[in-house]
Amino acid sequence: MAEKLITNIYQEESAIHMLSVKVVQARNIPWADWMSNADCYVSIWLPTCTNRVLKTKTLSNTSDPKWDETFHFKICEKVQNLMHLSLHDEDVVSKNDLLYTVVFDVGKVPIGETMKTTFPLNPEGKESLDVEFTRKTLPAHPEKILTNSVLVSRSVSCLDVSVDKQKIPEHFQGKTIVLTVEDSCEKNNELVLDPGSDHIDPCTFHCIRKWDPELTVHLEGTNAEDADGLTKVPFNSLSVGKEERIELPAPPGRSLELNLKVEECTDKLDVRLGYDLCEDEKIFLQNRSKMVAAALKKVLKLDRDLEDHEVPVIAVTTTGGGTRAMTSLYGTLSGLKKMNLLDAVSYITGASGSTWCMSKLYEDPDWSQKDLTKPIKEARKSVTDSKRSAFSLDRLSFYREEMEKRAKMGYKASFTDLWGLLLESMYHDGLNDTKLSDQRKALNHGQNPLPLCLAMNVKDIEKTTLDFKEWCEFSPYEVGLLKYGAFIRAEDFGSQFFMGRLTKRLPESRLCYLQGLWSNIFSINLMDAWVAAVSSEHFWYRFTRDTVYNLDEEEFLAKKRAESGLETRLYEPTGVFSSTVKNILTNRPIDGEHHNFVRGLQIHKDYAKQKGFNSFKDTQLDQSPNQLTPFTDDLCLVDSAYYINASFPSLLREERKVDIILSFDYGLSGHFKSVEQTKSYCTNQKLPFPNIELSDADREHPKECHVFSDPEDPEAPVILHFPLVNDSFKKYKAPGVSRSHQELEDGVVHLNGMWSPYTLVKLTYSERNFDKLLNLAEYNVMNSEELILQALRDAIAHKQKSRNTGAN
């Protein structure tokens, strides 16, 4: 598997430039308080060149501070280098005030020239900031990068720091050595010289090679600024591959000897960069296509075998809905099985509660080839049993022990993990050791559809899902952030990565923790709740968003603007009141953080031009690459229902070429909301999707199945949408089989109102209510058999026609 991870990327040689930034002066800065002028300094943040935020000296009590300070940066030409220049008012009593931030694409600076720029800090006033930029090529220092034209992996060095326990001077025993490499992934580490330990684990730092990082060492409890007790070692002073020794002075007595070894990390990445399907999925599709062809020949009564190009890709997509979604999906699959259509399905996608059903089924490698009576019986028992035992003192103690073990492994234990453990207790008989990668056993011969589960990556603070959201897809083969074309092996999710390399492998999580993640409804903030309740966000925008101006529209900057590069922007932060409201509205008090597997990877300068990136553009931050996911330490993954309560996006990837989607909506209201929201999403992203055209009668009285297609767009899939409705099921217990008078009560399924037994908060059903919902879901799909079969015939005919048209 590891050999397949480096496909779909290419190697480039990128020039390295020396960028000099001279902060000259600011003008007409208003008073910061009633007592004096501002005490100004400028901070510079260029995260593609250093982890540090650099700053000028502070000039006190002046409205026209003049610094004339110069800073130098080594920049990689192929990377999107976006510099943040922020003007602050220093306050010794309270928090320093951020006055303005200018975001400038330094790629606009001409090579070999000095660019003098005056940034207006207030379009309606006279405030301004003067900065001079100079960019020169360093011809002897090019860098090899790996990229998919959206993400860039740069060359990385690894430094190991260790100590020989036998050579520790007595006065160092029990002490802690503090190690810092500010321009590294880890930043800080410690060597604890425990005399009772048999072995002292080494510390490791991973750094971008061209950043010229430096190791700083001092003894804990001593002044880190004291030169007598401080050791600094530049990486470039060490020989690659050779262990070298340094001494840490600590009078009185002998110095402590440290062993240092620098290695160049391999260019073989553990993150697969590219938008294509992984090789394992391609092999699966080849195997599955044979089974689909045989199933279609049987169910459509074809007189010959289908050729490979004639076999349509059919998918089942589901919504969330807690126990209701889980129960309904069992019924849906049972109906497809009884119609001999389950073998014609290549993909099943789930979100939230429907993933609980999928996770259980795929414990059996041959589940779809067997009668579903047994798993349904087990589900019936788990749904109808009391959930009180899941909250007993013994179970709570078990949850605490499990989360403590998880934290010791290196995971970021959170409430989401506790939710996953609760789900396991409520819906699984005993501890479930199954992992996501174990589901590959159910796919190795193409014997079952490929399961895909969906979550959404959001910001844990400061941003709502209105401003930032990205799809994260889980399959038994890979976990991937679709927007960036970045994927890792399923068993590596949760491990630590930097610049596309696996830096610390953690044991693969049990599946219950992923179930908690996929149905993580707890990371909501007040802004999300408001929008979900009233479907309007505009009232709160003034509190949650900074004021942004496009400075490229200013006449004197427009003259210097390069043809390429991102816009120069001015951010004016919100005031104290708005900032307080913003924190209240956007903070996620209960979030589920996970190690970010794209951490450290940088954004290619041409990222915005790539089709794959634009296809999954779900954020207002696309023009602010420094705020995108690769520049964050963690992922914050939540239930995809925060945006769309559906699992369509995985099936809309161009590479999957899905022809027919059987869409099952298990919501109690808004029967077409999932497809209508998906249509709106696809329109914005320019993805093929049919129009959702409904009559008033359809909305008032939805049928069991509605067909949506677009004959004008051959790339758009055909959607067969199945809302959860109790229509003809009231009179028929099976298609064409009327209910007797005694059986009419079995057809009464209460799906409406706050007293419905199937609301989201209901975790336990009576046996009668479970059977009713299961039978309803099974009936609804079976009653639509002719519509499904006709869609299959049309899809085959369409593929045959397309092939013949192409041949001509």
Side-chain angles (χ1 to χ4, degrees):
M1 181 76 179
E3 294 295 327
K4 301 168 186 173
L5 286 170
I6 61 172
T7 58
N8 305 114
I9 63 175
Y10 60 94
Q11 189 176 78
E12 276 191 279
E13 190 171 90
S14 177
I16 299 297
H17 296 162
M18 178 61 73
L19 175 71
S20 299
V21 181
K22 183 179 181 180
V23 181
V24 182
Q25 66 179 32
R27 295 187 180 90
N28 303 307
I29 304 305
W31 282 22
D33 51 50
W34 297 105
M35 302 299 295
S36 67
N37 287 307
D39 304 322
C40 292
Y41 68 90
V42 175
S43 67
I44 304 175
W45 184 47
L46 187 56
T48 52
C49 297
T50 177
N51 287 336
R52 292 167 290 170
V53 177
L54 307 180
K55 56 180 290 188
T56 67
K57 58 182 176 290
T58 300
L59 299 180
S60 301
N61 193 22
T62 175
S63 59
D64 298 297
K66 187 174 182 179
W67 294 278
D68 285 331
E69 291 187 47
T70 302
F71 302 86
H72 302 284
F73 303 89
K74 282 185 179 179
I75 64 173
C76 177
E77 181 191 29
K78 297 292 185 180
V79 165
Q80 181 62 67
N81 297 290
L82 213 60
M83 176 174 287
H84 292 235
L85 296 157
S86 299
L87 183 67
H88 302 258
D89 173 36
E90 187 173 272
D91 196 321
V92 296
V93 177
S94 61
K95 182 180 177 182
N96 294 344
D97 293 325
L98 172 61
L99 304 179
Y100 310 98
T101 294
V102 173
V103 181
F104 177 64
D105 183 354
V106 299
K108 296 180 178 182
V109 179
I111 298 174
E113 298 180 21
T114 296
M115 179 177 172
K116 299 179 180 180
T117 304
T118 297
F119 296 109
L121 300 180
N122 182 354
E124 299 177 357
K126 298 180 179 180
E127 300 97 310
S128 62
L129 177 66
D130 293 347
V131 183
E132 293 182 4
F133 300 93
T134 304
R135 185 160 62 125
K136 298 179 180 179
T137 302
L138 299 176
H141 302 277
E143 180 180 9
K144 289 183 179 179
I145 63 170
L146 296 171
T147 181
N148 64 350
S149 296
V150 172
L151 295 179
V152 173
S153 175
R154 300 180 63 182
S155 300
V156 172
S157 293
C158 175
L159 172 66
D160 288 324
V161 184
S162 62
V163 61
D164 188 339
K165 181 175 172 55
Q166 307 305 319
K167 296 181 180 181
I168 301 176
E170 184 176 347
H171 61 274
F172 275 98
Q173 297 287 346
K175 303 290 187 180
T176 297
I177 307 302
V178 179
L179 307 126
T180 302
V181 181
E182 206 162 351
D183 282 329
S184 71
C185 167
E186 295 79 8
K187 296 182 182 177
N188 297 289
N189 254 319
E190 292 182 347
L191 283 173
V192 180
L193 309 181
D194 183 0
S197 176
D198 295 333
H199 176 72
I200 299 175
D201 293 330
C203 293
T204 302
F205 294 93
H206 295 84
C207 318
I208 297 176
R209 199 174 301 160
K210 292 294 184 180
W211 282 12
D212 295 333
E214 181 180 69
L215 169 69
T216 301
V217 187
H218 76 277
L219 185 65
E220 188 178 53
T222 62
N223 187 354
E225 302 301 323
D226 185 357
D228 292 335
L230 190 69
T231 299
K232 293 188 175 183
V233 184
F235 276 34
N236 58 19
S237 69
L238 302 172
S239 300
V240 175
K242 180 181 178 182
E243 187 171 88
E244 301 188 26
R245 292 176 175 80
I246 64 167
E247 291 186 346
L248 175 64
R254 290 166 41 209
S255 299
L256 177 68
E257 192 175 83
L258 298 176
N259 304 317
L260 309 182
K261 188 176 182 180
V262 169
E263 298 281 5
E264 294 183 356
C265 294
T266 176
D267 287 338
K268 183 179 177 182
L269 301 185
D270 299 298
V271 175
R272 181 175 72 86
L273 298 181
Y275 292 91
D276 199 5
L277 304 180
C278 70
E279 291 300 315
D280 288 305
E281 184 171 341
K282 291 178 182 178
I283 294 171
F284 161 79
L285 289 173
Q286 292 174 358
N287 293 331
R288 186 65 180 174
S289 180
K290 298 173 184 176
M291 180 166 286
V292 171
L296 292 177
K297 180 182 180 182
K298 179 180 178 180
V299 74
L300 296 178
K301 298 179 174 57
L302 303 177
D303 56 5
R304 66 171 178 85
D305 294 335
L306 292 174
E307 298 183 27
D308 291 344
H309 69 273
E310 297 175 312
V311 180
V313 177
I314 305 160
V316 166
T317 184
T318 62
T319 66
T323 308
R324 178 181 67 250
M326 179 181 73
T327 304
S328 298
L329 182 52
Y330 276 110
T332 295
L333 296 175
S334 176
L336 292 173
K337 177 70 176 177
K338 290 180 178 179
M339 292 189 293
N340 297 312
L341 284 172
L342 194 51
D343 283 345
V345 175
S346 294
Y347 292 102
I348 296 180
T349 69
S352 196
S354 58
T355 67
W356 306 348
C357 168
M358 293 166 60
S359 299
K360 182 63 178 175
L361 285 173
Y362 278 86
E363 291 178 20
D364 183 348
D366 298 301
W367 71 267
S368 69
Q369 303 305 305
K370 300 177 180 178
D371 186 274
L372 296 182
T373 301
K374 181 180 178 182
I376 289 175
K377 183 178 179 180
E378 292 174 350
R380 186 176 190 262
K381 182 178 184 304
S382 69
V383 170
T384 58
D385 280 350
S386 170
K387 307 299 183 294
R388 290 181 181 177
S389 61
F391 300 91
S392 67
L393 290 178
D394 287 344
R395 294 306 294 174
L396 293 176
S397 177
F398 168 73
Y399 302 152
R400 184 181 66 181
E401 292 173 2
E402 283 291 294
M403 293 180 68
E404 287 175 351
K405 290 178 186 176
R406 189 166 171 80
K408 289 179 181 178
M409 290 179 191
Y411 281 97
K412 292 180 174 290
S414 67
F415 186 82
T416 305
D417 295 333
L418 176 59
W419 173 235
L421 290 168
L422 282 166
L423 290 175
E424 180 182 59
S425 291
M426 291 188 290
Y427 297 113
H428 199 285
D429 186 16
L431 188 73
N432 180 12
D433 285 325
T434 304
K435 301 176 179 63
L436 181 60
S437 63
D438 293 336
Q439 294 180 355
R440 293 174 190 162
K441 299 172 186 175
L443 307 171
N444 53 11
H445 304 302
Q447 69 268 38
N448 299 295
L450 175 64
L452 299 170
C453 297
L454 195 66
M456 197 167 62
N457 181 43
V458 298
K459 293 287 187 182
D460 58 343
I461 55 174
E462 294 188 347
K463 299 293 180 182
T464 71
T465 52
L466 300 166
D467 299 309
F468 185 89
K469 46 192 171 288
E470 300 170 337
W471 300 117
C472 186
E473 174 187 286
F474 293 77
S475 86
Y477 300 127
E478 291 186 320
V479 176
L481 289 167
L482 303 185
K483 176 175 186 168
Y484 304 102
F487 301 85
I488 57 171
R489 301 186 308 165
E491 55 264 49
D492 290 336
F493 177 73
S495 292
Q496 297 178 24
F497 289 78
F498 176 70
M499 198 55 77
R501 282 88 170 176
L502 183 61
T503 58
K504 183 178 180 181
R505 188 185 302 277
L506 303 183
E508 184 179 2
S509 293
R510 294 193 293 115
L511 198 55
C512 70
Y513 293 110
L514 296 184
Q515 289 178 306
L517 180 163
W518 296 330
S519 54
N520 178 11
I521 60 173
F522 304 103
S523 290
I524 196 167
N525 57 37
L526 292 180
M527 184 68 174
D528 291 335
W530 169 270
V531 175
V534 302
S535 299
S536 175
E537 70 277 2
H538 301 294
F539 174 77
W540 298 108
Y541 269 9
R542 54 178 152 166
F543 299 119
T544 60
R545 292 186 172 180
D546 297 334
T547 303
V548 183
Y549 301 98
N550 179 8
L551 296 187
D552 282 340
E553 295 176 356
E554 298 294 327
E555 182 179 356
F556 47 89
L557 277 181
K559 294 177 181 178
K560 299 176 180 179
R561 184 174 61 183
E563 291 184 2
S564 60
L566 297 180
E567 296 174 345
T568 304
R569 295 186 173 190
L570 170 67
Y571 290 79
E572 189 175 315
T574 56
V576 175
F577 173 75
S578 293
S579 179
T580 302
V581 174
K582 175 181 179 179
N583 289 337
I584 293 172
L585 292 175
T586 62
N587 185 44
R588 301 181 189 275
I590 304 177
D591 56 32
E593 294 181 343
H594 307 267
H595 293 301
N596 179 11
F597 57 86
V598 296
R599 182 186 178 193
L601 290 165
Q602 299 185 354
I603 307 294
H604 195 279
K605 66 181 183 65
D606 296 326
Y607 76 101
K609 301 176 183 178
Q610 305 310 312
K611 181 180 179 182
F613 180 86
N614 290 332
S615 293
F616 294 95
K617 186 173 68 173
D618 295 308
T619 168
Q620 298 293 325
L621 298 180
D622 282 343
Q623 295 300 307
S624 303
N626 292 349
Q627 297 184 61
L628 293 180
T629 301
F631 289 94
T632 61
D633 291 340
D634 304 308
L635 303 175
C636 183
L637 297 173
V638 301
D639 192 323
S640 61
Y642 277 111
Y643 181 36
I644 301 175
N645 185 22
S647 49
F648 281 101
S650 289
L651 304 177
L652 300 176
R653 290 177 60 185
E654 180 182 353
E655 300 78 16
R656 290 206 165 109
K657 300 179 175 62
V658 175
D659 299 292
I660 297 176
I661 299 178
L662 306 180
S663 166
F664 295 92
D665 190 327
Y666 300 133
L668 294 182
S669 61
H671 296 299
F672 302 97
K673 188 175 181 180
S674 60
V675 286
E676 289 181 316
Q677 286 182 323
T678 302
K679 172 58 182 176
S680 176
Y681 164 76
C682 290
T683 299
N684 291 335
Q685 313 310 321
K686 299 180 181 179
L687 295 172
F689 199 82
N691 291 324
I692 308 302
E693 297 178 349
L694 295 161
S695 65
D696 292 340
D698 288 335
R699 293 186 183 278
E700 188 70 22
H701 299 289
K703 302 185 291 291
E704 288 95 347
C705 180
H706 297 259
V707 181
F708 306 108
S709 63
D710 187 351
E712 302 300 320
D713 186 355
E715 300 300 320
V718 175
I719 309 297
L720 279 74
H721 186 66
F722 299 80
L724 187 62
V725 294
N726 188 15
D727 190 17
S728 58
F729 182 70
K730 298 173 183 176
K731 298 180 180 179
Y732 296 90
K733 62 181 178 181
V737 182
S738 299
R739 295 184 183 277
S740 65
H741 180 74
Q742 293 79 8
E743 295 171 326
L744 288 178
E745 177 59 29
D746 292 334
V748 179
V749 188
H750 297 288
L751 298 176
N752 300 317
M754 61 182 297
W755 303 113
S756 168
Y758 306 112
T759 59
L760 187 64
V761 296
K762 296 286 186 179
L763 301 176
T764 304
Y765 296 167
S766 68
E767 292 182 349
R768 187 174 182 83
N769 284 334
F770 177 90
D771 293 342
K772 284 184 176 182
L773 183 60
L774 180 89
N775 293 334
L776 172 66
E778 179 183 280
Y779 171 88
N780 281 358
V781 65
M782 294 185 69
N783 194 51
S784 307
E785 182 175 14
E786 282 306 314
L787 285 175
I788 299 174
L789 296 182
Q790 187 57 51
L792 296 176
R793 295 186 190 98
D794 293 344
I796 294 172
H798 174 71
K799 295 182 80 70
Q800 291 171 338
K801 180 179 179 182
S802 298
R803 178 63 174 258
N804 294 333
T805 302
N808 294 332

